[in-house]
Amino acid sequence: VVISGAQADVDAVCRELAGQGVRTQALTVSHAFHSPLVEPMLDAFEREAAQVRFSRPTVRVVSNLSGALESEAFTRAGYWRQHVREAVRFGDGLQALAALRPDVCIEIGPHPTLLTLASRAWGDSAPALVASLRKGRHDGEQMLEAVGALYLAGAELNWRAGGPGRVVDLPSYPFQRERCWFQAR
């Protein structure tokens, strides 16, 4: 459970929980997202979001706003406004995702906080959980790791869609005495 709001109110709730033996942990965030404290910026945020040309996702996506499978909702600036302000329905989203029985789940975001929570919730029945980005890691390096994890999970990858590149034949036997180092450009 994440509690978001005015610091004094959050501190009071945490003290109450601590008195009941419940451990709490403060999150380091820039804004009190998902609380009334973001309301002053919502109009400006929605105007900026309206400048973006959104497309329907081409893969199944469960929304943490509704806790359900969504598609069309992601194409509206108003959805993103609500996403900033409303409560996160992560538990409902996990249930919706589990009902789909995916082979792999990708967390699209700056750090895979939710994958850790999903792993704990699902335990041994968790599908392959893949992070798109990680704090402290070079984006390109992390994306390559994500592609590798998707491949290992059995995802069909379009290797030629990623832009410039070339296929390199490597020796199939390690002692063929053939050099297989890439040349610097």
PDB file of all heavy atoms in Angstrom, residues 62 64 88 90 94 97 102-135 142 145-146 149-150:
ATOM      1  N   VAL A  62      -2.071  -3.779 -19.120  1.00  0.00           N
ATOM      2  CA  VAL A  62      -2.975  -3.625 -17.987  1.00  0.00           C
ATOM      3  C   VAL A  62      -2.669  -2.269 -17.356  1.00  0.00           C
ATOM      4  O   VAL A  62      -1.528  -1.953 -17.053  1.00  0.00           O
ATOM      5  CB  VAL A  62      -2.789  -4.762 -16.962  1.00  0.00           C
ATOM      6  CG1 VAL A  62      -3.596  -4.493 -15.703  1.00  0.00           C
ATOM      7  CG2 VAL A  62      -3.189  -6.096 -17.571  1.00  0.00           C
ATOM      8  N   ASN A  64      -2.637   0.575 -14.505  1.00  0.00           N
ATOM      9  CA  ASN A  64      -2.652   0.711 -13.057  1.00  0.00           C
ATOM     10  C   ASN A  64      -3.663   1.750 -12.601  1.00  0.00           C
ATOM     11  O   ASN A  64      -3.858   1.944 -11.409  1.00  0.00           O
ATOM     12  CB  ASN A  64      -1.259   1.078 -12.527  1.00  0.00           C
ATOM     13  CG  ASN A  64      -0.393  -0.137 -12.381  1.00  0.00           C
ATOM     14  OD1 ASN A  64      -0.875  -1.240 -12.198  1.00  0.00           O
ATOM     15  ND2 ASN A  64       0.903   0.055 -12.466  1.00  0.00           N
ATOM     16  N   VAL A  88      -3.347   4.319  -7.474  1.00  0.00           N
ATOM     17  CA  VAL A  88      -2.790   3.226  -8.270  1.00  0.00           C
ATOM     18  C   VAL A  88      -3.489   1.937  -7.837  1.00  0.00           C
ATOM     19  O   VAL A  88      -3.526   1.610  -6.657  1.00  0.00           O
ATOM     20  CB  VAL A  88      -1.261   3.106  -8.052  1.00  0.00           C
ATOM     21  CG1 VAL A  88      -0.702   1.889  -8.762  1.00  0.00           C
ATOM     22  CG2 VAL A  88      -0.567   4.375  -8.502  1.00  0.00           C
ATOM     23  N   PHE A  90      -2.728  -1.258  -8.314  1.00  0.00           N
ATOM     24  CA  PHE A  90      -1.738  -2.263  -8.691  1.00  0.00           C
ATOM     25  C   PHE A  90      -2.202  -3.683  -8.381  1.00  0.00           C
ATOM     26  O   PHE A  90      -2.028  -4.589  -9.192  1.00  0.00           O
ATOM     27  CB  PHE A  90      -0.407  -1.967  -7.994  1.00  0.00           C
ATOM     28  CG  PHE A  90       0.706  -2.857  -8.430  1.00  0.00           C
ATOM     29  CD1 PHE A  90       1.176  -2.810  -9.728  1.00  0.00           C
ATOM     30  CD2 PHE A  90       1.284  -3.747  -7.546  1.00  0.00           C
ATOM     31  CE1 PHE A  90       2.201  -3.637 -10.143  1.00  0.00           C
ATOM     32  CE2 PHE A  90       2.319  -4.570  -7.951  1.00  0.00           C
ATOM     33  CZ  PHE A  90       2.779  -4.521  -9.249  1.00  0.00           C
ATOM     34  N   LEU A  94      -2.545  -6.631 -11.058  1.00  0.00           N
ATOM     35  CA  LEU A  94      -1.878  -7.936 -10.965  1.00  0.00           C
ATOM     36  C   LEU A  94      -2.873  -9.075 -11.155  1.00  0.00           C
ATOM     37  O   LEU A  94      -2.573 -10.071 -11.813  1.00  0.00           O
ATOM     38  CB  LEU A  94      -1.174  -8.094  -9.625  1.00  0.00           C
ATOM     39  CG  LEU A  94       0.188  -7.462  -9.471  1.00  0.00           C
ATOM     40  CD1 LEU A  94       0.754  -7.747  -8.084  1.00  0.00           C
ATOM     41  CD2 LEU A  94       1.150  -7.921 -10.546  1.00  0.00           C
ATOM     42  N   LEU A  97      -3.770  -9.233 -14.790  1.00  0.00           N
ATOM     43  CA  LEU A  97      -2.635  -9.776 -15.531  1.00  0.00           C
ATOM     44  C   LEU A  97      -2.523 -11.287 -15.321  1.00  0.00           C
ATOM     45  O   LEU A  97      -2.307 -12.036 -16.276  1.00  0.00           O
ATOM     46  CB  LEU A  97      -1.361  -9.071 -15.058  1.00  0.00           C
ATOM     47  CG  LEU A  97      -0.180  -9.008 -15.984  1.00  0.00           C
ATOM     48  CD1 LEU A  97      -0.565  -8.502 -17.364  1.00  0.00           C
ATOM     49  CD2 LEU A  97       0.903  -8.127 -15.395  1.00  0.00           C
ATOM     50  N   PRO A 102       0.147 -14.538 -18.827  1.00  0.00           N
ATOM     51  CA  PRO A 102       1.206 -14.183 -19.779  1.00  0.00           C
ATOM     52  C   PRO A 102       2.454 -15.032 -19.564  1.00  0.00           C
ATOM     53  O   PRO A 102       2.691 -15.557 -18.475  1.00  0.00           O
ATOM     54  CB  PRO A 102       1.487 -12.717 -19.438  1.00  0.00           C
ATOM     55  CG  PRO A 102       1.197 -12.629 -17.972  1.00  0.00           C
ATOM     56  CD  PRO A 102       0.005 -13.550 -17.759  1.00  0.00           C
ATOM     57  N   ASP A 103       3.247 -15.156 -20.625  1.00  0.00           N
ATOM     58  CA  ASP A 103       4.546 -15.822 -20.521  1.00  0.00           C
ATOM     59  C   ASP A 103       5.611 -14.854 -20.018  1.00  0.00           C
ATOM     60  O   ASP A 103       6.598 -15.263 -19.420  1.00  0.00           O
ATOM     61  CB  ASP A 103       4.990 -16.352 -21.897  1.00  0.00           C
ATOM     62  CG  ASP A 103       4.066 -17.422 -22.421  1.00  0.00           C
ATOM     63  OD1 ASP A 103       3.601 -18.257 -21.614  1.00  0.00           O
ATOM     64  OD2 ASP A 103       3.783 -17.422 -23.630  1.00  0.00           O
ATOM     65  N   VAL A 104       5.387 -13.565 -20.303  1.00  0.00           N
ATOM     66  CA  VAL A 104       6.366 -12.542 -19.939  1.00  0.00           C
ATOM     67  C   VAL A 104       5.637 -11.230 -19.659  1.00  0.00           C
ATOM     68  O   VAL A 104       4.610 -10.947 -20.278  1.00  0.00           O
ATOM     69  CB  VAL A 104       7.426 -12.363 -21.056  1.00  0.00           C
ATOM     70  CG1 VAL A 104       6.805 -11.854 -22.328  1.00  0.00           C
ATOM     71  CG2 VAL A 104       8.563 -11.465 -20.622  1.00  0.00           C
ATOM     72  N   CYS A 105       6.155 -10.463 -18.706  1.00  0.00           N
ATOM     73  CA  CYS A 105       5.631  -9.122 -18.407  1.00  0.00           C
ATOM     74  C   CYS A 105       6.809  -8.149 -18.457  1.00  0.00           C
ATOM     75  O   CYS A 105       7.876  -8.433 -17.918  1.00  0.00           O
ATOM     76  CB  CYS A 105       5.008  -9.065 -17.017  1.00  0.00           C
ATOM     77  SG  CYS A 105       3.541 -10.069 -16.843  1.00  0.00           S
ATOM     78  N   ILE A 106       6.584  -7.004 -19.089  1.00  0.00           N
ATOM     79  CA  ILE A 106       7.613  -5.976 -19.192  1.00  0.00           C
ATOM     80  C   ILE A 106       7.133  -4.757 -18.426  1.00  0.00           C
ATOM     81  O   ILE A 106       6.030  -4.270 -18.666  1.00  0.00           O
ATOM     82  CB  ILE A 106       7.863  -5.577 -20.662  1.00  0.00           C
ATOM     83  CG1 ILE A 106       8.197  -6.797 -21.498  1.00  0.00           C
ATOM     84  CG2 ILE A 106       8.970  -4.526 -20.754  1.00  0.00           C
ATOM     85  CD1 ILE A 106       8.201  -6.522 -22.993  1.00  0.00           C
ATOM     86  N   GLU A 107       7.959  -4.267 -17.512  1.00  0.00           N
ATOM     87  CA  GLU A 107       7.642  -3.005 -16.850  1.00  0.00           C
ATOM     88  C   GLU A 107       8.290  -1.892 -17.650  1.00  0.00           C
ATOM     89  O   GLU A 107       9.510  -1.845 -17.798  1.00  0.00           O
ATOM     90  CB  GLU A 107       8.148  -2.949 -15.414  1.00  0.00           C
ATOM     91  CG  GLU A 107       7.787  -1.626 -14.762  1.00  0.00           C
ATOM     92  CD  GLU A 107       8.091  -1.546 -13.279  1.00  0.00           C
ATOM     93  OE1 GLU A 107       8.435  -2.574 -12.673  1.00  0.00           O
ATOM     94  OE2 GLU A 107       7.976  -0.446 -12.732  1.00  0.00           O
ATOM     95  N   ILE A 108       7.461  -1.006 -18.183  1.00  0.00           N
ATOM     96  CA  ILE A 108       7.949   0.115 -18.978  1.00  0.00           C
ATOM     97  C   ILE A 108       7.995   1.319 -18.054  1.00  0.00           C
ATOM     98  O   ILE A 108       6.961   1.852 -17.665  1.00  0.00           O
ATOM     99  CB  ILE A 108       7.037   0.365 -20.192  1.00  0.00           C
ATOM    100  CG1 ILE A 108       7.007  -0.894 -21.052  1.00  0.00           C
ATOM    101  CG2 ILE A 108       7.516   1.576 -20.985  1.00  0.00           C
ATOM    102  CD1 ILE A 108       5.984  -0.876 -22.139  1.00  0.00           C
ATOM    103  N   GLY A 109       9.183   1.708 -17.679  1.00  0.00           N
ATOM    104  CA  GLY A 109       9.352   2.816 -16.758  1.00  0.00           C
ATOM    105  C   GLY A 109      10.804   2.984 -16.396  1.00  0.00           C
ATOM    106  O   GLY A 109      11.653   2.186 -16.804  1.00  0.00           O
ATOM    107  N   PRO A 110      11.115   4.002 -15.611  1.00  0.00           N
ATOM    108  CA  PRO A 110      12.510   4.318 -15.323  1.00  0.00           C
ATOM    109  C   PRO A 110      13.200   3.361 -14.361  1.00  0.00           C
ATOM    110  O   PRO A 110      14.420   3.356 -14.266  1.00  0.00           O
ATOM    111  CB  PRO A 110      12.437   5.727 -14.727  1.00  0.00           C
ATOM    112  CG  PRO A 110      11.077   5.796 -14.130  1.00  0.00           C
ATOM    113  CD  PRO A 110      10.200   4.971 -15.034  1.00  0.00           C
ATOM    114  N   HIS A 111      12.450   2.571 -13.636  1.00  0.00           N
ATOM    115  CA  HIS A 111      13.044   1.621 -12.690  1.00  0.00           C
ATOM    116  C   HIS A 111      12.013   0.541 -12.369  1.00  0.00           C
ATOM    117  O   HIS A 111      10.836   0.848 -12.182  1.00  0.00           O
ATOM    118  CB  HIS A 111      13.470   2.353 -11.413  1.00  0.00           C
ATOM    119  CG  HIS A 111      14.353   1.528 -10.536  1.00  0.00           C
ATOM    120  ND1 HIS A 111      15.611   1.118 -10.919  1.00  0.00           N
ATOM    121  CD2 HIS A 111      14.149   1.020  -9.305  1.00  0.00           C
ATOM    122  CE1 HIS A 111      16.144   0.400  -9.934  1.00  0.00           C
ATOM    123  NE2 HIS A 111      15.281   0.326  -8.962  1.00  0.00           N
ATOM    124  N   PRO A 112      12.429  -0.719 -12.294  1.00  0.00           N
ATOM    125  CA  PRO A 112      11.469  -1.822 -12.160  1.00  0.00           C
ATOM    126  C   PRO A 112      10.949  -2.053 -10.740  1.00  0.00           C
ATOM    127  O   PRO A 112      10.990  -3.151 -10.226  1.00  0.00           O
ATOM    128  CB  PRO A 112      12.268  -3.016 -12.670  1.00  0.00           C
ATOM    129  CG  PRO A 112      13.672  -2.692 -12.300  1.00  0.00           C
ATOM    130  CD  PRO A 112      13.790  -1.205 -12.487  1.00  0.00           C
ATOM    131  N   THR A 113      10.428  -1.032 -10.114  1.00  0.00           N
ATOM    132  CA  THR A 113       9.880  -1.168  -8.765  1.00  0.00           C
ATOM    133  C   THR A 113       8.708  -2.143  -8.742  1.00  0.00           C
ATOM    134  O   THR A 113       8.588  -2.980  -7.841  1.00  0.00           O
ATOM    135  CB  THR A 113       9.403   0.205  -8.260  1.00  0.00           C
ATOM    136  OG1 THR A 113      10.499   1.104  -8.336  1.00  0.00           O
ATOM    137  CG2 THR A 113       8.888   0.135  -6.847  1.00  0.00           C
ATOM    138  N   LEU A 114       7.828  -2.051  -9.729  1.00  0.00           N
ATOM    139  CA  LEU A 114       6.614  -2.868  -9.726  1.00  0.00           C
ATOM    140  C   LEU A 114       6.919  -4.340 -10.012  1.00  0.00           C
ATOM    141  O   LEU A 114       6.186  -5.215  -9.549  1.00  0.00           O
ATOM    142  CB  LEU A 114       5.606  -2.317 -10.726  1.00  0.00           C
ATOM    143  CG  LEU A 114       5.175  -0.862 -10.463  1.00  0.00           C
ATOM    144  CD1 LEU A 114       4.191  -0.406 -11.528  1.00  0.00           C
ATOM    145  CD2 LEU A 114       4.596  -0.701  -9.076  1.00  0.00           C
ATOM    146  N   LEU A 115       7.993  -4.621 -10.755  1.00  0.00           N
ATOM    147  CA  LEU A 115       8.337  -6.026 -11.018  1.00  0.00           C
ATOM    148  C   LEU A 115       8.688  -6.751  -9.726  1.00  0.00           C
ATOM    149  O   LEU A 115       8.341  -7.919  -9.546  1.00  0.00           O
ATOM    150  CB  LEU A 115       9.516  -6.119 -11.995  1.00  0.00           C
ATOM    151  CG  LEU A 115       9.235  -5.756 -13.435  1.00  0.00           C
ATOM    152  CD1 LEU A 115      10.485  -5.996 -14.285  1.00  0.00           C
ATOM    153  CD2 LEU A 115       8.064  -6.531 -14.008  1.00  0.00           C
ATOM    154  N   THR A 116       9.368  -6.067  -8.825  1.00  0.00           N
ATOM    155  CA  THR A 116       9.718  -6.668  -7.539  1.00  0.00           C
ATOM    156  C   THR A 116       8.452  -7.002  -6.756  1.00  0.00           C
ATOM    157  O   THR A 116       8.326  -8.082  -6.186  1.00  0.00           O
ATOM    158  CB  THR A 116      10.612  -5.710  -6.732  1.00  0.00           C
ATOM    159  OG1 THR A 116      11.770  -5.414  -7.510  1.00  0.00           O
ATOM    160  CG2 THR A 116      11.031  -6.311  -5.410  1.00  0.00           C
ATOM    161  N   LEU A 117       7.506  -6.069  -6.758  1.00  0.00           N
ATOM    162  CA  LEU A 117       6.236  -6.308  -6.059  1.00  0.00           C
ATOM    163  C   LEU A 117       5.456  -7.442  -6.716  1.00  0.00           C
ATOM    164  O   LEU A 117       4.868  -8.279  -6.025  1.00  0.00           O
ATOM    165  CB  LEU A 117       5.407  -5.029  -6.025  1.00  0.00           C
ATOM    166  CG  LEU A 117       6.037  -3.846  -5.289  1.00  0.00           C
ATOM    167  CD1 LEU A 117       5.195  -2.599  -5.488  1.00  0.00           C
ATOM    168  CD2 LEU A 117       6.229  -4.157  -3.821  1.00  0.00           C
ATOM    169  N   ALA A 118       5.446  -7.486  -8.041  1.00  0.00           N
ATOM    170  CA  ALA A 118       4.749  -8.554  -8.760  1.00  0.00           C
ATOM    171  C   ALA A 118       5.381  -9.904  -8.455  1.00  0.00           C
ATOM    172  O   ALA A 118       4.679 -10.898  -8.230  1.00  0.00           O
ATOM    173  CB  ALA A 118       4.766  -8.285 -10.263  1.00  0.00           C
ATOM    174  N   SER A 119       6.698  -9.943  -8.428  1.00  0.00           N
ATOM    175  CA  SER A 119       7.405 -11.187  -8.137  1.00  0.00           C
ATOM    176  C   SER A 119       7.036 -11.711  -6.752  1.00  0.00           C
ATOM    177  O   SER A 119       6.790 -12.907  -6.573  1.00  0.00           O
ATOM    178  CB  SER A 119       8.913 -10.947  -8.235  1.00  0.00           C
ATOM    179  OG  SER A 119       9.619 -12.097  -7.885  1.00  0.00           O
ATOM    180  N   ARG A 120       6.972 -10.813  -5.788  1.00  0.00           N
ATOM    181  CA  ARG A 120       6.585 -11.218  -4.428  1.00  0.00           C
ATOM    182  C   ARG A 120       5.143 -11.716  -4.393  1.00  0.00           C
ATOM    183  O   ARG A 120       4.831 -12.687  -3.716  1.00  0.00           O
ATOM    184  CB  ARG A 120       6.744 -10.049  -3.469  1.00  0.00           C
ATOM    185  CG  ARG A 120       8.167  -9.700  -3.165  1.00  0.00           C
ATOM    186  CD  ARG A 120       8.225  -8.559  -2.174  1.00  0.00           C
ATOM    187  NE  ARG A 120       9.576  -8.047  -2.055  1.00  0.00           N
ATOM    188  CZ  ARG A 120       9.872  -6.853  -1.595  1.00  0.00           C
ATOM    189  NH1 ARG A 120       8.903  -6.044  -1.190  1.00  0.00           N
ATOM    190  NH2 ARG A 120      11.114  -6.460  -1.527  1.00  0.00           N
ATOM    191  N   ALA A 121       4.256 -11.021  -5.109  1.00  0.00           N
ATOM    192  CA  ALA A 121       2.835 -11.387  -5.087  1.00  0.00           C
ATOM    193  C   ALA A 121       2.585 -12.726  -5.775  1.00  0.00           C
ATOM    194  O   ALA A 121       1.785 -13.534  -5.311  1.00  0.00           O
ATOM    195  CB  ALA A 121       1.997 -10.293  -5.749  1.00  0.00           C
ATOM    196  N   TRP A 122       3.262 -12.956  -6.898  1.00  0.00           N
ATOM    197  CA  TRP A 122       3.017 -14.167  -7.679  1.00  0.00           C
ATOM    198  C   TRP A 122       3.866 -15.352  -7.222  1.00  0.00           C
ATOM    199  O   TRP A 122       3.524 -16.496  -7.498  1.00  0.00           O
ATOM    200  CB  TRP A 122       3.269 -13.909  -9.157  1.00  0.00           C
ATOM    201  CG  TRP A 122       2.177 -13.148  -9.837  1.00  0.00           C
ATOM    202  CD1 TRP A 122       0.879 -13.056  -9.452  1.00  0.00           C
ATOM    203  CD2 TRP A 122       2.298 -12.383 -11.022  1.00  0.00           C
ATOM    204  NE1 TRP A 122       0.174 -12.276 -10.338  1.00  0.00           N
ATOM    205  CE2 TRP A 122       1.025 -11.851 -11.307  1.00  0.00           C
ATOM    206  CE3 TRP A 122       3.354 -12.083 -11.877  1.00  0.00           C
ATOM    207  CZ2 TRP A 122       0.778 -11.049 -12.405  1.00  0.00           C
ATOM    208  CZ3 TRP A 122       3.109 -11.277 -12.970  1.00  0.00           C
ATOM    209  CH2 TRP A 122       1.834 -10.768 -13.232  1.00  0.00           C
ATOM    210  N   GLY A 123       4.991 -15.091  -6.599  1.00  0.00           N
ATOM    211  CA  GLY A 123       5.865 -16.168  -6.146  1.00  0.00           C
ATOM    212  C   GLY A 123       6.357 -17.022  -7.302  1.00  0.00           C
ATOM    213  O   GLY A 123       6.734 -16.514  -8.355  1.00  0.00           O
ATOM    214  N   ASP A 124       6.290 -18.333  -7.116  1.00  0.00           N
ATOM    215  CA  ASP A 124       6.802 -19.262  -8.129  1.00  0.00           C
ATOM    216  C   ASP A 124       5.975 -19.290  -9.407  1.00  0.00           C
ATOM    217  O   ASP A 124       6.433 -19.795 -10.426  1.00  0.00           O
ATOM    218  CB  ASP A 124       6.868 -20.689  -7.548  1.00  0.00           C
ATOM    219  CG  ASP A 124       7.914 -20.810  -6.445  1.00  0.00           C
ATOM    220  OD1 ASP A 124       8.836 -19.973  -6.410  1.00  0.00           O
ATOM    221  OD2 ASP A 124       7.791 -21.734  -5.627  1.00  0.00           O
ATOM    222  N   SER A 125       4.764 -18.770  -9.367  1.00  0.00           N
ATOM    223  CA  SER A 125       3.917 -18.791 -10.562  1.00  0.00           C
ATOM    224  C   SER A 125       4.130 -17.567 -11.451  1.00  0.00           C
ATOM    225  O   SER A 125       3.423 -17.389 -12.433  1.00  0.00           O
ATOM    226  CB  SER A 125       2.439 -18.889 -10.160  1.00  0.00           C
ATOM    227  OG  SER A 125       2.054 -17.727  -9.442  1.00  0.00           O
ATOM    228  N   ALA A 126       5.118 -16.731 -11.115  1.00  0.00           N
ATOM    229  CA  ALA A 126       5.370 -15.513 -11.898  1.00  0.00           C
ATOM    230  C   ALA A 126       5.877 -15.854 -13.294  1.00  0.00           C
ATOM    231  O   ALA A 126       6.696 -16.755 -13.467  1.00  0.00           O
ATOM    232  CB  ALA A 126       6.386 -14.626 -11.194  1.00  0.00           C
ATOM    233  N   PRO A 127       5.396 -15.121 -14.301  1.00  0.00           N
ATOM    234  CA  PRO A 127       5.975 -15.263 -15.639  1.00  0.00           C
ATOM    235  C   PRO A 127       7.356 -14.607 -15.653  1.00  0.00           C
ATOM    236  O   PRO A 127       7.794 -14.064 -14.630  1.00  0.00           O
ATOM    237  CB  PRO A 127       4.985 -14.483 -16.525  1.00  0.00           C
ATOM    238  CG  PRO A 127       4.392 -13.467 -15.609  1.00  0.00           C
ATOM    239  CD  PRO A 127       4.347 -14.106 -14.256  1.00  0.00           C
ATOM    240  N   ALA A 128       8.035 -14.649 -16.775  1.00  0.00           N
ATOM    241  CA  ALA A 128       9.304 -13.925 -16.891  1.00  0.00           C
ATOM    242  C   ALA A 128       9.008 -12.440 -16.712  1.00  0.00           C
ATOM    243  O   ALA A 128       8.090 -11.902 -17.327  1.00  0.00           O
ATOM    244  CB  ALA A 128       9.938 -14.187 -18.248  1.00  0.00           C
ATOM    245  N   LEU A 129       9.752 -11.787 -15.832  1.00  0.00           N
ATOM    246  CA  LEU A 129       9.546 -10.368 -15.539  1.00  0.00           C
ATOM    247  C   LEU A 129      10.743  -9.589 -16.054  1.00  0.00           C
ATOM    248  O   LEU A 129      11.873  -9.845 -15.638  1.00  0.00           O
ATOM    249  CB  LEU A 129       9.359 -10.162 -14.035  1.00  0.00           C
ATOM    250  CG  LEU A 129       8.200 -10.952 -13.413  1.00  0.00           C
ATOM    251  CD1 LEU A 129       8.220 -10.847 -11.892  1.00  0.00           C
ATOM    252  CD2 LEU A 129       6.870 -10.475 -13.966  1.00  0.00           C
ATOM    253  N   VAL A 130      10.495  -8.635 -16.952  1.00  0.00           N
ATOM    254  CA  VAL A 130      11.574  -7.939 -17.665  1.00  0.00           C
ATOM    255  C   VAL A 130      11.487  -6.438 -17.409  1.00  0.00           C
ATOM    256  O   VAL A 130      10.426  -5.838 -17.560  1.00  0.00           O
ATOM    257  CB  VAL A 130      11.488  -8.225 -19.179  1.00  0.00           C
ATOM    258  CG1 VAL A 130      12.567  -7.485 -19.943  1.00  0.00           C
ATOM    259  CG2 VAL A 130      11.585  -9.729 -19.440  1.00  0.00           C
ATOM    260  N   ALA A 131      12.621  -5.841 -17.053  1.00  0.00           N
ATOM    261  CA  ALA A 131      12.707  -4.395 -16.841  1.00  0.00           C
ATOM    262  C   ALA A 131      13.165  -3.711 -18.123  1.00  0.00           C
ATOM    263  O   ALA A 131      14.134  -4.149 -18.750  1.00  0.00           O
ATOM    264  CB  ALA A 131      13.701  -4.092 -15.723  1.00  0.00           C
ATOM    265  N   SER A 132      12.472  -2.632 -18.507  1.00  0.00           N
ATOM    266  CA  SER A 132      12.896  -1.884 -19.697  1.00  0.00           C
ATOM    267  C   SER A 132      14.054  -0.958 -19.377  1.00  0.00           C
ATOM    268  O   SER A 132      14.952  -0.787 -20.198  1.00  0.00           O
ATOM    269  CB  SER A 132      11.719  -1.088 -20.274  1.00  0.00           C
ATOM    270  OG  SER A 132      11.264  -0.126 -19.338  1.00  0.00           O
ATOM    271  N   LEU A 133      14.057  -0.353 -18.221  1.00  0.00           N
ATOM    272  CA  LEU A 133      15.112   0.576 -17.807  1.00  0.00           C
ATOM    273  C   LEU A 133      15.429   0.350 -16.335  1.00  0.00           C
ATOM    274  O   LEU A 133      14.617  -0.209 -15.608  1.00  0.00           O
ATOM    275  CB  LEU A 133      14.666   2.030 -18.011  1.00  0.00           C
ATOM    276  CG  LEU A 133      14.348   2.450 -19.445  1.00  0.00           C
ATOM    277  CD1 LEU A 133      13.730   3.849 -19.464  1.00  0.00           C
ATOM    278  CD2 LEU A 133      15.595   2.409 -20.315  1.00  0.00           C
ATOM    279  N   ARG A 134      16.618   0.807 -15.910  1.00  0.00           N
ATOM    280  CA  ARG A 134      17.005   0.733 -14.498  1.00  0.00           C
ATOM    281  C   ARG A 134      17.816   1.971 -14.151  1.00  0.00           C
ATOM    282  O   ARG A 134      18.674   2.392 -14.925  1.00  0.00           O
ATOM    283  CB  ARG A 134      17.888  -0.487 -14.223  1.00  0.00           C
ATOM    284  CG  ARG A 134      17.181  -1.795 -14.218  1.00  0.00           C
ATOM    285  CD  ARG A 134      18.162  -2.921 -13.818  1.00  0.00           C
ATOM    286  NE  ARG A 134      17.552  -4.207 -14.012  1.00  0.00           N
ATOM    287  CZ  ARG A 134      16.756  -4.812 -13.133  1.00  0.00           C
ATOM    288  NH1 ARG A 134      16.485  -4.226 -11.992  1.00  0.00           N
ATOM    289  NH2 ARG A 134      16.232  -5.976 -13.389  1.00  0.00           N
ATOM    290  N   LYS A 135      17.552   2.520 -12.967  1.00  0.00           N
ATOM    291  CA  LYS A 135      18.357   3.640 -12.489  1.00  0.00           C
ATOM    292  C   LYS A 135      19.810   3.186 -12.378  1.00  0.00           C
ATOM    293  O   LYS A 135      20.094   2.069 -11.938  1.00  0.00           O
ATOM    294  CB  LYS A 135      17.875   4.108 -11.119  1.00  0.00           C
ATOM    295  CG  LYS A 135      16.530   4.770 -11.132  1.00  0.00           C
ATOM    296  CD  LYS A 135      16.118   5.154  -9.719  1.00  0.00           C
ATOM    297  CE  LYS A 135      14.682   5.606  -9.700  1.00  0.00           C
ATOM    298  NZ  LYS A 135      14.151   5.735  -8.355  1.00  0.00           N
ATOM    299  N   GLN A 142      20.740  -1.625 -20.745  1.00  0.00           N
ATOM    300  CA  GLN A 142      19.573  -2.241 -20.115  1.00  0.00           C
ATOM    301  C   GLN A 142      18.587  -2.751 -21.152  1.00  0.00           C
ATOM    302  O   GLN A 142      17.997  -3.817 -20.995  1.00  0.00           O
ATOM    303  CB  GLN A 142      18.882  -1.261 -19.157  1.00  0.00           C
ATOM    304  CG  GLN A 142      17.642  -1.833 -18.492  1.00  0.00           C
ATOM    305  CD  GLN A 142      17.898  -3.099 -17.694  1.00  0.00           C
ATOM    306  OE1 GLN A 142      18.927  -3.219 -17.034  1.00  0.00           O
ATOM    307  NE2 GLN A 142      16.981  -4.044 -17.753  1.00  0.00           N
ATOM    308  N   GLU A 145      19.774  -5.978 -22.453  1.00  0.00           N
ATOM    309  CA  GLU A 145      19.509  -7.030 -21.471  1.00  0.00           C
ATOM    310  C   GLU A 145      18.033  -7.442 -21.520  1.00  0.00           C
ATOM    311  O   GLU A 145      17.706  -8.618 -21.436  1.00  0.00           O
ATOM    312  CB  GLU A 145      19.872  -6.548 -20.071  1.00  0.00           C
ATOM    313  CG  GLU A 145      19.715  -7.630 -19.021  1.00  0.00           C
ATOM    314  CD  GLU A 145      20.181  -7.171 -17.656  1.00  0.00           C
ATOM    315  OE1 GLU A 145      21.329  -6.726 -17.542  1.00  0.00           O
ATOM    316  OE2 GLU A 145      19.370  -7.286 -16.711  1.00  0.00           O
ATOM    317  N   ALA A 146      17.144  -6.456 -21.684  1.00  0.00           N
ATOM    318  CA  ALA A 146      15.713  -6.751 -21.775  1.00  0.00           C
ATOM    319  C   ALA A 146      15.414  -7.589 -23.015  1.00  0.00           C
ATOM    320  O   ALA A 146      14.640  -8.547 -22.949  1.00  0.00           O
ATOM    321  CB  ALA A 146      14.901  -5.456 -21.792  1.00  0.00           C
ATOM    322  N   ALA A 149      16.440 -11.074 -22.293  1.00  0.00           N
ATOM    323  CA  ALA A 149      15.491 -11.741 -21.395  1.00  0.00           C
ATOM    324  C   ALA A 149      14.221 -12.133 -22.144  1.00  0.00           C
ATOM    325  O   ALA A 149      13.671 -13.218 -21.926  1.00  0.00           O
ATOM    326  CB  ALA A 149      15.146 -10.821 -20.215  1.00  0.00           C
ATOM    327  N   LEU A 150      13.764 -11.264 -23.044  1.00  0.00           N
ATOM    328  CA  LEU A 150      12.584 -11.596 -23.850  1.00  0.00           C
ATOM    329  C   LEU A 150      12.863 -12.809 -24.735  1.00  0.00           C
ATOM    330  O   LEU A 150      12.039 -13.710 -24.864  1.00  0.00           O
ATOM    331  CB  LEU A 150      12.159 -10.408 -24.702  1.00  0.00           C
ATOM    332  CG  LEU A 150      11.552  -9.235 -23.935  1.00  0.00           C
ATOM    333  CD1 LEU A 150      11.401  -8.026 -24.841  1.00  0.00           C
ATOM    334  CD2 LEU A 150      10.214  -9.631 -23.337  1.00  0.00           C
TER     335      LEU A 150
END
